[in-house]
Amino acid sequence: MMTCDHPVPPDRYDERVEEHLRSTGFYHVSQIGVVQCQKALVNALVERWHPDTHTFHLPVGECAVSLEDVAMIFGLPTEGLPVTGKTLSSFEALEAECLHQFGVAPRKSDCRGSGIKLTWLRDLKERSQLTDENSIQVYVKCHIMLLIGTILFGDKSGTSVHWKYLPLLSDFASIGQYS
């Protein structure tokens, strides 16, 4: 995650859930910290990016970022179940999915378009007691959604995560099987 003006610490997790993060395949991603932005470096990379070839043109040659590179950096599998499904955009569908996954639904003010505000997910995660398997799974799902919204698929606003990823977490045992 690149931050230039306001460094945000990475989302930490309770040590008691580490095995659950490992079983879901998100342990390595959760170890990635915040990269402090170096504006000169970012400007140089932007200037050298060629969108027609999806490569950087550097003085030493052309450089492409491959799927294998990303897999090595994030520790995520490139083989497995495809990430597919319907993307619903109604608040009622989001509300129902959150009730199903977390046992609680966000208010409209806790959402931004088709996204769930990261602050709502952080608050829910921090309120989790970790007393039984269900509360641990809710905690891990919140943490994974925070990773998706910040490190994996963060947007310029950095304030929300699209809720289309939430149904992929419904079967906790199969989370780690996705590509």
Side-chain angles (χ1 to χ4, degrees), residues 20-29 74-77 144 175-176:
H20 287 79
L21 280 172
R22 287 183 188 276
S23 71
T24 61
F26 280 89
Y27 173 75
H28 294 289
V29 176
F74 288 129
L76 293 172
I144 291 171
I175 293 172

Side-chain angles (χ1 to χ4, degrees), residues 131-170:
T131 55
D132 59 3
E133 186 63 23
N134 186 52
S135 63
I136 289 172
Q137 287 184 8
V138 166
Y139 180 96
V140 172
K141 288 177 185 183
C142 286
H143 188 73
I144 291 171
M145 287 295 285
L146 288 166
L147 292 172
I148 290 171
T150 56
I151 293 175
L152 296 174
F153 299 111
D155 61 8
K156 285 194 288 188
S157 76
T159 60
S160 65
V161 58
H162 199 289
W163 74 273
K164 67 183 173 187
Y165 303 108
L166 196 52
L168 301 169
L169 306 179
S170 65

Side-chain angles (χ1 to χ4, degrees), residues 49 54 63-80 83 152-153 178-179:
W49 178 253
H54 300 287
C63 175
V65 179
S66 69
L67 182 59
E68 183 180 6
D69 296 331
V70 175
M72 291 296 292
I73 292 168
F74 288 129
L76 293 172
T78 55
E79 294 182 12
V83 176
L152 296 174
F153 299 111
Y178 285 102
S179 171

